[in-house]
Amino acid sequence: MSWQAYVDEHLMCDIDGQGQHLTAAAIIGEDGSVWAQSASYPQLKPEEITGIMADFAEPGHLAPTGLHIGGVKYMVIQGEPGAVIRGKKGSGGITVKKTGQALVFGIYEEPVTASQCNMVVERLGDYLIDQGL
């Protein structure tokens, strides 16, 4: 399966059969290279990837400044240290799951909930970890 198919079929999929979808999603290498992304995914800046990787290495790194994606700031909320970063902005937010070689991103807006976004992103991330990726 191509990386784009993972984004299209597993991240931008219909959630709970209710016609709800993530707003944007991507799989990005730890070096910032884009493996695949949805058409709506914002252009990441190198320092944004650097900040995310620093937070995975040293949980809490992004808490004072926030998580920035494409210049948009998300307030960092409870995640799983070294494994998942979660952010909130207004009625939406973001989930970032770290695998062995990549980062899986999901961005959502209402009516999609944080827990739905977490489930979709983390399920794919766990699968990729199981595959040695």
Side-chain angles (χ1 to χ4, degrees), residues 110-128:
E110 285 185 338
V112 174
T113 65
S115 62
Q116 288 172 315
C117 181
N118 295 341
M119 178 193 68
V120 168
V121 170
E122 293 174 36
R123 186 170 50 198
L124 179 59
D126 289 339
Y127 171 78
L128 294 175

Side-chain angles (χ1 to χ4, degrees), residues 47-117:
E47 62 271 18
E48 293 172 341
I49 290 290
T50 302
I52 291 166
M53 292 307 296
D55 196 85
F56 279 123
E58 184 185 324
H61 174 81
L62 290 174
T65 59
L67 167 63
H68 291 81
I69 299 292
V72 175
K73 180 180 178 181
Y74 294 86
M75 180 178 67
V76 178
I77 56 176
Q78 182 180 6
E80 295 171 28
V84 179
I85 299 171
R86 298 186 182 110
K88 186 89 176 121
K89 180 180 187 328
S91 61
I94 186 168
T95 304
V96 185
K97 170 78 175 181
K98 184 180 186 306
T99 72
Q101 301 172 21
L103 304 170
V104 180
F105 290 82
I107 299 174
Y108 69 94
E109 291 291 338
E110 285 185 338
V112 174
T113 65
S115 62
Q116 288 172 315
C117 181

Side-chain angles (χ1 to χ4, degrees), residues 16-66:
D16 295 340
Q18 298 175 2
Q20 299 173 359
H21 302 269
L22 296 179
T23 306
I27 302 172
I28 311 274
E30 290 185 357
D31 61 356
S33 60
V34 176
W35 292 12
Q37 64 184 25
S38 64
S40 54
Y41 196 78
Q43 180 68 44
L44 285 177
K45 299 175 179 162
E47 62 271 18
E48 293 172 341
I49 290 290
T50 302
I52 291 166
M53 292 307 296
D55 196 85
F56 279 123
E58 184 185 324
H61 174 81
L62 290 174
T65 59

